[in-house]
């Protein structure tokens, strides 16, 4: 019986090895994941970095697991071409900055007003801090001057430093001592030289943390590019609707690739078919038409008469990408993982 069972196991072993396959990372034939494999898959990065094993001082799963901390987001996670860069919804009244960032007019105006009010608050707080520092420096200088006068008078009277110290009012914090009291009762009285270190919990010796404010930037900046943002540099956009019979609200309810088209090529505008803004007329056309048609003569055909264009009059709309490497100019987005202590 035992010989028959051993023979059956030997016959099933090659079949099981062929069916199960190998673990791609650890190159083994186990039909289950071990605890070490689960931990490595949990924390990411390459297991080849676990030199000497994860139980050694230099090996840990947090830094040397499988996978990667970088990934590229797909098209669903990227902003639409006509969406506001703050609200991430299609713009009702779109405007554009010289850097090609699109905002909804009402949203960006409110942002500028709120940012100016915040700058004023920060400036008042910084001014109060500067005045407090100046007052503290003046008080310290006056105290040092009084101390020098007292020392001069003491020398003239022939008093020693101990006699001069006895004249001054007792101050535990200045003399190096510490006294802790509660409801009229003395809990501790430390007159030693290192009382500030041994009795730091006493109220007058408690360390104080000073939070210093930096001088605020008085310029309202674009939240996307960090460039100075001015109202006169917000240009209104004029998109060409794919269906002129629809109202503005009905157009905004359409899918992202069915809202607006290029007035020259009649192709839908999207992150895949990016657009550019012509400043004289405010018209939005595709980048391909700009390169193949408009840049040949450098005129804006949507004005009457056609207006000569400069390079700064053609502003490409900022796009985040499409999810495909061939159509995406932005670098791979980094995902920062926060490690919780104890896990």
């Amino acid at each position: 019986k035992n010989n028959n069972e051993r023979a059956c196991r030997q016959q099933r072993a090659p079949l099981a090895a062929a069916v199960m396959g190998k673990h791609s990372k650890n190159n083994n034939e186990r039909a289950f994941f071990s605890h070490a494999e689960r931990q490595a898959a949990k924390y990411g990065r390459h297991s080849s970095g676990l030199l000497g094993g994860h139980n050694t001082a230099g090996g840990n799963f947090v830094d040397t697991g499988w996978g990667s901390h970088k990934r590229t987001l797909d098209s669903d996670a990227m902003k639409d071409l006509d969406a506001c860069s703050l609200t991430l919804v299609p713009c009702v009244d779109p405007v554009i900055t010289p850097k090609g960032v699109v905002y909804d007019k009402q949203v960006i105006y409110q942002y500028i007003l709120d940012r100016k009010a915040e700058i004023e608050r920060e400036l008042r707080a910084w001014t109060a801090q500067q005045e407090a520092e100046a007052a503290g420096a003046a008080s310290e200088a006056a105290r040092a001057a009084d101390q020098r006068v007292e020392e001069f008078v003491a020398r003239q009277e022939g008093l020693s430093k101990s006699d001069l110290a006895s004249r001054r009012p007792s101050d535990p914090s200045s003399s190096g001592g510490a006294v802790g009291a509660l409801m009229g009762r003395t809990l501790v009285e430390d007159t030693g030289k290192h009382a500030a270190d041994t009795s730091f919990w006493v109220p007058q010796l408690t360390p104080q943390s000073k939070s210093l404010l930096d001088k605020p930037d008085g310029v309202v900046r674009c939240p996307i590019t960090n460039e100075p943002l001015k109202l006169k540099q917000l240009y209104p956009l004029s998109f060409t609707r794919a269906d002129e019979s629809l109202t503005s609200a009905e157009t905004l309810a359409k899918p992202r690739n069915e809202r607006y088209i290029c007035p020259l090529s009649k192709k839908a505008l999207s992150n895949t078919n990016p657009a550019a803004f012509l400043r004289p007329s405010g018209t939005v056309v595709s980048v391909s038409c700009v390169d193949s048609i408009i840049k040949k003569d450098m005129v804006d055909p949507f004005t009457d008469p056609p207006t000569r264009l400069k390079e700064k009059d053609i502003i490409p709309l900022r796009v985040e990408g499409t999810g495909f490497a061939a159509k995406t100019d932005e670098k791979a987005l980094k995902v920062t993982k926060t490690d919780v202590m104890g896990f």
Side-chain angles (χ1 to χ4, degrees), residues 32-304:
F32 59 89
F33 278 97
S34 65
H35 174 73
E37 290 175 325
R38 283 201 180 96
Q39 291 296 105
K42 174 182 177 182
Y43 287 105
R45 300 188 186 173
H46 298 289
S47 62
S48 59
L50 285 173
L51 300 178
H54 61 273
N55 291 325
T56 61
N60 61 83
F61 291 115
V62 177
D63 296 333
T64 52
W66 295 340
S68 172
H69 280 190
K70 294 182 181 180
R71 64 188 177 96
T72 302
L73 302 181
D74 55 11
S75 59
D76 292 336
M78 298 184 182
K79 183 180 73 69
D80 296 344
L81 183 70
D82 60 327
C84 174
S85 297
L86 288 178
T87 61
L88 304 181
V89 297
C91 297
V92 178
D93 190 3
V95 293
I96 189 173
T97 68
K99 295 297 183 179
V101 183
V102 179
Y103 294 106
D104 202 329
K105 183 177 181 179
Q106 181 180 358
V107 175
I108 193 60
Y109 276 33
Q110 187 63 43
Y111 168 81
I112 293 176
L113 293 176
D114 295 342
R115 182 62 187 138
K116 286 184 176 180
E118 185 179 358
I119 290 175
E120 291 180 0
R121 290 193 299 269
E122 293 176 353
L123 187 58
R124 286 196 299 268
W126 180 80
T127 303
Q129 174 185 278
Q130 295 297 107
E131 293 176 352
E133 290 181 355
S139 176
E140 185 66 22
R143 190 187 66 81
D146 293 342
Q147 186 175 358
R148 288 195 298 269
V149 170
E150 289 181 1
E151 292 177 354
F152 175 77
V153 173
R155 285 196 300 268
Q156 295 299 319
E157 295 178 356
L159 298 177
S160 62
K161 290 184 178 181
S162 60
D163 296 336
L164 180 61
S166 63
R167 283 188 176 186
R168 294 174 182 170
S170 60
D171 185 4
S173 60
S174 62
S175 61
V179 177
L182 178 64
M183 299 178 62
R185 295 181 300 171
T186 301
L187 300 181
V188 65
E189 184 173 358
D190 189 355
T191 58
K193 182 179 179 181
H194 301 285
D197 298 330
T198 58
S199 303
F200 61 88
W201 50 272
V202 177
Q204 64 265 27
L205 298 179
T206 302
Q208 301 295 328
S209 176
K210 294 183 179 180
S211 58
L212 298 179
L213 301 176
D214 296 330
K215 186 176 181 180
D217 186 6
V219 179
V220 178
R221 298 186 177 275
C222 174
I224 304 300
T225 62
N226 203 32
E227 296 288 336
L229 191 62
K230 300 179 181 179
L231 288 177
K232 64 179 181 180
Q233 293 182 340
L234 295 176
Y235 311 114
L237 287 173
S238 177
F239 285 101
T240 303
R241 299 178 185 175
D243 189 350
E244 295 291 344
S245 62
L246 299 179
T247 62
S248 177
E250 292 173 342
T251 301
L252 296 179
K254 300 285 285 183
R256 65 177 68 181
N257 295 334
E258 300 179 12
R259 299 188 193 120
Y260 305 111
I261 61 173
C262 173
L264 296 178
S265 64
K266 304 302 179 181
K267 293 182 179 180
L269 298 177
S270 63
N271 289 335
T272 307
N273 185 27
F277 166 74
L278 304 180
R279 190 166 65 170
S281 62
T283 308
V284 179
V285 297
S286 63
V287 173
S288 59
C289 289
V290 170
D291 295 335
S292 60
I293 300 175
I294 295 178
K295 283 192 175 181
K296 287 184 177 181
D297 300 325
M298 288 301 290
V299 295
D300 189 346
F302 301 99
T303 59
D304 190 17

